[in-house]
Amino acid sequence: MNKSTSNDKEPMMISVDELSVLFGISRSGAYQLSKSKGFPSITIGRRIFILKDRLQEWVDAQFEHKD
C-alpha cells in the first residue's frame, strides 16, 4: 500500500458516525446506507468503516444512474 496522498496522516476510512455528519443524515440512516449493496464499506470486527477514496466514486455513480 504505497499509494501516496496529499496528506499521508489523513485516515483512509471514516466511521458511520462521520458519514452521518458528512451526509447530514441520521445515525441509523447512515448504518442502513453503509450496509446497502454496492456501498463502499467494510466491517472490521463489529465496526463498519467507509473507504474515503471510493465514497466519491459511489456518490458520482448515484447521480449518473439518476438520469
Side-chain angles (χ1 to χ4, degrees):
M1 290 180 32
N2 284 337
K3 193 173 188 181
S4 180
T5 62
S6 60
N7 184 356
D8 289 333
K9 294 182 182 186
E10 187 175 313
M12 60 190 296
M13 298 181 282
I14 62 172
S15 69
V16 175
D17 288 336
E18 292 170 314
L19 177 67
S20 71
V21 171
L22 182 65
F23 279 17
I25 59 176
S26 68
R27 187 173 186 248
S28 63
Y31 270 101
Q32 186 176 14
L33 179 61
S34 71
K35 294 178 183 180
S36 64
K37 184 177 179 180
F39 192 79
S41 65
I42 60 171
T43 302
I44 301 174
R46 295 178 64 198
R47 297 192 61 196
I48 299 171
F49 295 95
I50 295 84
L51 303 169
K52 289 171 67 175
D53 63 341
R54 296 194 184 154
L55 182 58
Q56 186 63 53
E57 294 171 14
W58 180 86
V59 169
D60 292 342
Q62 302 316 297
F63 282 100
E64 289 173 9
H65 288 94
K66 187 175 179 169
D67 293 335

